[in-house]
């Protein structure tokens, strides 16, 4: 999910990507690839935060939470070498993936 948050003229982007692993995939096998994605992504320009979380009740549900300085940074990330190389490998191990896009609702 992308949440657009106004901060002056900058729009902070938040991405939440929830993945359910296939039943025959070992979590450790997935994490081996995901670890490299996380570590490489954290070096990218515009990356404020990039973390991977495991569901407390179901370790086969993993969620990536990202925060970017702007949409251009996120777009560059999606074109980066490590994403193009490794994300397809991660997708092969997933039963499902959910990414939603949201704008923050402001109450004054």
């Amino acid at each position: 999910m992308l949440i657009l948050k106004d901060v002056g003229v900058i729009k902070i982007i938040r991405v939440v990507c929830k993945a359910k692993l296939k039943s025959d995939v070992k979590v450790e096998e997935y994490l081996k690839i995901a670890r490299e994605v996380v570590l490489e992504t954290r070096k990218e320009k515009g990356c404020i935060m990039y973390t991977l979380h495991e569901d407390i009740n179901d370790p086969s549900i993993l969620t990536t939470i990202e925060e970017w300085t702007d949409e251009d940074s996120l777009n560059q990330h999606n074109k980066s070498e490590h994403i193009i190389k490794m994300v397809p490998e991660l997708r092969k191990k997933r039963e499902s993936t959910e990414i939603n896009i949201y704008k923050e609702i402001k109450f004054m």
Side-chain angles (χ1 to χ4, degrees):
M1 101 186 57
L2 292 174
I3 300 174
L4 304 179
K5 181 178 178 184
D6 290 326
V7 179
V9 294
I10 299 172
K11 287 193 175 181
I12 301 294
I13 306 292
R14 280 200 193 99
V15 179
V16 177
C17 176
K18 181 179 176 182
K20 170 74 173 165
L21 302 185
K22 292 178 181 176
S23 59
D24 62 335
V25 173
K26 293 181 181 177
V27 174
E28 299 78 22
E29 180 184 321
Y30 186 89
L31 292 178
K32 186 176 179 183
I33 301 167
R35 180 181 190 277
E36 191 173 344
V37 172
V38 170
L39 294 177
E40 287 301 313
T41 298
R42 287 178 178 169
K43 298 174 190 175
E44 290 182 51
K45 181 181 176 190
C47 180
I48 298 168
M49 178 184 77
Y50 197 94
T51 56
L52 183 63
H53 304 266
E54 182 180 75
D55 186 278
I56 291 172
N57 298 310
D58 184 349
S60 71
I61 298 174
L62 299 165
T63 301
T64 304
I65 301 175
E66 312 170 30
E67 192 168 286
W68 298 90
T69 56
D70 54 39
E71 202 168 350
D72 288 339
S73 296
L74 175 59
N75 292 335
Q76 287 301 324
H77 161 69
N78 289 330
K79 296 175 187 173
S80 66
E81 185 178 333
H82 64 277
I83 292 300
I84 291 169
K85 177 184 170 192
M86 290 183 263
V87 168
E89 293 304 310
L90 292 172
R91 284 188 185 132
K92 290 177 189 175
K93 298 178 182 312
R94 297 177 189 160
E95 178 180 301
S96 63
T97 303
E98 180 181 348
I99 301 173
N100 297 305
I101 301 171
Y102 296 94
K103 291 192 300 184
E104 181 179 1
I105 298 171
K106 293 186 178 191
F107 295 100
M108 307 221 181

